[in-house]
Amino acid sequence: MHKVYYQYDPAKHLYRRVYPSYRQRIKTYIRNAVYCIFTAGLFVAIYILCSNRPSIRDLKKENKELMLQYTLLSDKIDNGYSVLADLQQRDDNIYRVLLGAKPSEHSEAASEKADSAFSYIDFLTQTNTELVEVLKKRSELLEAKLFSQSKSYGELSELVKQNEKRLAAIPAIMPVYNKDLKRTASGYGYRIDPIYHTQKFHAGLDFAVVRNTPIYATGNGTVIYADKRGSFGNLVEVDHGYGYVTRYAHLESFKVKKGDKVVRGQVIALSGSTGKSTGPHLHYEVLVKGKYDDPSNYFFQDLNAEQYVELRNLASTYSKVFD
């Protein structure tokens, strides 16, 4: 309902109604419209703020849950450092020792849990932004350490591959089938020569076998000799690398030739009695960096501890000498 204005006329002692001008009415309409809009906006803002504002109890609950999440995340990072420290310890003190490798070059010690672990006071005194930044730095450092450790394990993997080649090359089986050890004839060391009857150093191990018994390569390698050689008669020499060479003497025939690659267990010849020999047998030698070694030390894939002792006893006491 619009307001009605009157003005007093003193000459006639009357109140006359006053009608506002067009401009005044426009201003009045605009002022009222602005007032209504402002009032409506104010009420809307108050409603939005009041409806979306969490209670103090909700804020405390949210903050408690957030602190719990920070604590759990911090504990997980600490556990990661602990596991990493154990991996590095095993890396340096077990795996690399077994493989004969140098200790790994880790960027830093992984056991920094005590220095960087969160405490309850940290959660109370630091802002959320500060806590997130600290956790981010610790997780990035852990990631860098894990990357360093993965590189170390990559090196170990390569060392294992190299070691596998070495283990496959080192003589490790008997050159003839001799599971019952009954073919062992004469061992390594000083013996009486069967022809000249004088004491002589016997540089290998003799196996009493019938003619044409298969002779096996005792490790992976390359044939460097397959021909006659003096008192050895027909001889095969295999270079296994890593300083190891094996000799197989008094052979009847060859199954390989010079330059052939052989693998452990491959038949390389047949036994005989060629050269300086009193009967069919195999004379087997192992040389390490040019020096003779007792062949019985290189049967670890064929013999257990008890069999090894028995073989050594048989080789040292058996009276029959063939060469």
Side-chain angles (χ1 to χ4, degrees):
M1 185 176 181
H2 297 289
K3 290 184 179 181
V4 178
Y5 296 92
Y6 293 90
Q7 186 176 13
Y8 180 69
D9 186 356
K12 296 182 178 182
H13 302 285
L14 295 173
Y15 284 93
R16 298 182 183 277
R17 184 175 180 179
V18 179
Y19 293 95
S21 65
Y22 178 77
R23 179 176 294 181
Q24 289 176 332
R25 288 199 300 271
I26 293 298
K27 287 182 179 181
T28 301
Y29 292 147
I30 293 175
R31 182 175 63 252
N32 291 340
V34 170
Y35 175 77
C36 291
I37 292 172
F38 175 78
T39 303
L42 182 61
F43 277 110
V44 170
I46 292 174
Y47 173 77
I48 292 175
L49 289 175
C50 292
S51 61
N52 291 336
R53 183 181 179 184
S55 65
I56 295 178
R57 180 182 299 176
D58 292 337
L59 287 175
K60 287 183 177 181
K61 181 179 179 181
E62 182 180 348
N63 191 50
K64 186 176 181 180
E65 291 177 353
L66 186 60
M67 290 174 63
L68 178 60
Q69 293 300 320
Y70 280 135
T71 304
L72 293 175
L73 182 56
S74 178
D75 288 343
K76 287 184 178 180
I77 293 176
D78 289 336
N79 290 335
Y81 276 112
S82 178
V83 172
L84 180 60
D86 181 64
L87 291 176
Q88 290 179 343
Q89 189 274 336
R90 290 172 178 268
D91 185 343
D92 289 337
N93 300 324
I94 299 179
Y95 307 136
R96 289 181 177 270
V97 171
L98 290 175
L99 294 172
K102 296 180 180 179
S104 59
E105 297 180 358
H106 302 299
S107 57
E108 298 175 17
S111 57
E112 58 181 65
K113 174 181 176 181
D115 296 333
S116 56
F118 279 118
S119 67
Y120 186 76
I121 301 300
D122 293 326
F123 289 110
L124 296 179
T125 58
Q126 294 181 328
T127 65
N128 288 345
T129 302
E130 290 172 336
L131 291 175
V132 170
E133 187 64 25
V134 172
L135 287 174
K136 179 182 177 183
K137 289 181 179 179
R138 296 190 67 218
S139 62
E140 289 175 349
L141 180 59
L142 179 59
E143 183 180 1
K145 288 178 177 294
L146 289 172
F147 176 74
S148 175
Q149 186 61 43
S150 69
K151 287 180 61 179
S152 176
Y153 277 134
E155 295 172 4
L156 286 178
S157 177
E158 187 61 32
L159 288 173
V160 168
K161 291 179 182 178
Q162 295 175 7
N163 205 45
E164 286 178 350
K165 293 180 181 178
R166 182 175 181 272
L167 290 175
I170 294 175
I173 63 173
M174 287 185 281
V176 297
Y177 184 81
N178 190 32
K179 293 295 184 181
D180 56 7
L181 305 182
K182 292 181 179 180
R183 292 181 171 181
T184 307
S186 181
Y188 178 86
Y190 284 94
R191 296 288 184 272
I192 299 299
D193 189 283
I195 297 177
Y196 303 112
H197 304 290
T198 58
Q199 191 176 49
K200 182 182 179 182
F201 181 73
H202 191 238
L205 190 65
D206 288 346
F207 294 89
V209 292
V210 299
R211 200 180 300 272
N212 292 322
T213 297
I215 307 301
Y216 306 105
T218 56
N220 297 356
T222 303
V223 177
I224 57 175
Y225 192 89
D227 206 343
K228 291 183 179 179
R229 182 187 292 177
S231 61
F232 284 122
N234 290 334
L235 173 72
V236 169
E237 273 189 351
V238 177
D239 185 354
H240 302 276
Y242 309 98
Y244 293 91
V245 173
T246 53
R247 288 175 179 166
Y248 312 78
H250 309 299
L251 307 171
E252 180 70 19
S253 59
F254 304 105
K255 295 295 183 180
V256 293
K257 63 182 182 300
K258 183 178 179 180
D260 285 351
K261 300 289 185 181
V262 296
V263 296
R264 180 180 293 144
Q266 178 180 337
V267 176
I268 57 175
L270 299 178
S271 65
S273 186
T274 58
K276 179 176 169 289
S277 172
T278 60
H281 74 289
L282 171 70
H283 175 81
Y284 174 65
E285 294 180 355
V286 175
L287 292 89
V288 183
K289 296 182 179 179
K291 296 182 179 181
Y292 294 111
D293 200 359
D294 189 343
S296 62
N297 293 329
Y298 297 89
F299 299 151
F300 47 84
Q301 281 197 2
D302 276 349
L303 306 178
N304 57 35
E306 291 78 11
Q307 290 173 321
Y308 173 75
V309 172
E310 183 180 354
L311 175 69
R312 292 295 296 260
N313 290 334
L314 288 172
S316 63
T317 59
Y318 201 81
S319 59
K320 190 169 184 180
V321 180
F322 289 93
D323 53 31

